[in-house]
Amino acid sequence: MSASEISRWQRIVIKVGTSTLTAGQKRLNPPRMVDLCRQIAVLRSWGADVVLVTSGAQQAGRERLGNGQEESGIPYKQMLAAIGQGRIMQFWEQYFELYEIIVGQVLLTREDIEDRKRYLSVRDTFETLLKHGIVPVVNENDAVATDEIKVGENDSLSALVANLIGADLLVLLTDIDGLYSADPSVSPEAELIGQVEVIDESIYALASGSRSGLGTGGMYTKILAADIATHSGTSVLITNGGRDGALLEALADQKGTWFPATITPSEGRKRWLLTQKGDASGVIVDDGAAKAIKSGGTSLLAVGVKGIVGSFERGSVIAVHTGSGGVIARGLANYSATDVSQIAGKRSGDIQNILGYDYGPEIVHCDNMILL
């Protein structure tokens, strides 16, 4: 195994399920968690940004209560998560510290991702953590989530996070080697499927429920996550995380089931922009900014803005107007119309002094802009 075999993956989201963290038992397994931290340290040393989506908060809560008799209902599960979230984060912090890695906890609900303002704030948090070499450790905020706002399970959550940060690879670590042609526990003739080019009804039909009973997801939810991720530009690997070094081995030797993305993360974001409804609200840019934007790959900075059209909020899809009245692009606004009116024509270094805060130098980042 060498760095060159894996270095093509620059931004990786790794989701680890409860059955993997417990090694199939009723308690979290420290050696398994430490080994995963070691492998993530190796990936980072080879230049990859890594985000860890972890299950196990409720199981950690059960352990703290002595693994007593279960109660039904959402409030009881929320109680377990409230007890266990801090506990499992403490474990991750302790084990990553062995490799001199700092971690930061990010708790999410579906509303955090679906609301555009929250989406941008969460994305900025991830980008800042990664910029400073910190590993974000993500879990669904089960302590406050309800049926209406729960993502549902951490497989789907990891796919949404991969889309959020523009990851090029999502790895789903589970207690089975990948997707099989039949249930391998009952069918000796079952064969591991090495690659799935198209996720259709026949692929979903191969899915079955969770075998361990410890987690909320099964193969079906992993295929659903792969469906979400590949359509957003992220390739997906489902593989067995139950052996020492399993993650690095799977990446180097193509083990498990692979779902290749057909587009890049950037293309995925721009396709999404094309589907969004938009009006004429936006910004008017000067000739220099218009020329730079039309050449492609250039973000819109405050210095290139002459004025605003209409009203919009941070996170809105806005139009980029030229002085002659044409619209040359659409994109996600990093600032509201009120903010832009104050910083239009100013240098990026002045934004903090003018507003008292800043969301970065770009009014619209080139990754979140599509030319018309």
Side-chain angles (χ1 to χ4, degrees), residues 41 44 94-103 133:
R44 282 164 46 88
Q94 176 184 349
Y95 300 149
F96 273 110
E97 182 65 27
L98 296 173
Y99 304 96
E100 299 181 341
I101 295 174
I102 300 174
V103 298

Side-chain angles (χ1 to χ4, degrees), residues 71-80 142 145-147 150:
E71 296 181 20
S72 61
I74 292 293
Y76 183 77
K77 292 181 179 180
Q78 290 174 319
M79 180 196 73
L80 292 177
D142 290 329
T146 65
D147 285 338
K150 280 173 65 65

Side-chain angles (χ1 to χ4, degrees), residues 228-256:
I228 296 170
T230 54
H231 280 87
S232 302
T234 303
S235 294
V236 178
L237 168 64
I238 300 175
T239 193
N240 196 327
R243 301 182 302 273
D244 286 352
L247 170 61
L248 296 179
E249 181 182 352
L251 292 177
D253 300 332
Q254 301 287 297
K255 290 189 175 181

Side-chain angles (χ1 to χ4, degrees), residues 121-293:
S121 295
V122 172
R123 188 192 64 186
D124 289 345
T125 297
F126 275 108
E127 292 296 338
T128 305
L129 288 168
L130 293 172
K131 176 182 177 182
H132 288 83
I134 299 168
V135 172
V137 177
V138 184
N139 199 351
E140 187 166 22
N141 197 0
D142 290 329
V144 299
T146 65
D147 285 338
E148 288 75 22
I149 63 175
K150 280 173 65 65
V151 173
E153 33 62 41
N154 280 337
D155 292 325
S156 293
L157 177 63
S158 65
L160 296 175
V161 169
N163 174 259
L164 181 79
I165 68 168
D168 48 11
L169 178 64
L170 167 63
V171 181
L172 302 174
L173 295 176
T174 185
D175 55 1
I176 192 170
D177 291 338
L179 178 64
Y180 280 82
S181 59
D183 187 344
S185 64
V186 297
S187 301
E189 71 278 6
E191 296 182 353
L192 180 65
I193 301 173
Q195 185 159 306
V196 175
E197 297 291 346
V198 178
I199 300 175
D200 55 20
E201 292 183 3
S202 66
I203 298 300
Y204 278 106
L206 298 175
S208 59
S210 173
R211 298 190 307 169
S212 67
L214 295 171
T216 58
M219 188 55 68
Y220 181 90
T221 63
K222 290 170 179 57
I223 293 174
L224 178 61
D227 208 349
I228 296 170
T230 54
H231 280 87
S232 302
T234 303
S235 294
V236 178
L237 168 64
I238 300 175
T239 193
N240 196 327
R243 301 182 302 273
D244 286 352
L247 170 61
L248 296 179
E249 181 182 352
L251 292 177
D253 300 332
Q254 301 287 297
K255 290 189 175 181
T257 301
W258 289 81
F259 300 78
T262 57
I263 58 175
T264 66
S266 178
E267 289 172 330
R269 284 193 297 274
K270 292 181 178 181
R271 287 189 183 187
W272 177 86
L273 282 172
L274 283 175
T275 68
Q276 301 306 297
K277 294 180 179 179
D279 54 26
S281 296
V283 296
I284 303 171
V285 299
D286 61 28
D287 292 342
K291 182 178 179 180
I293 289 171

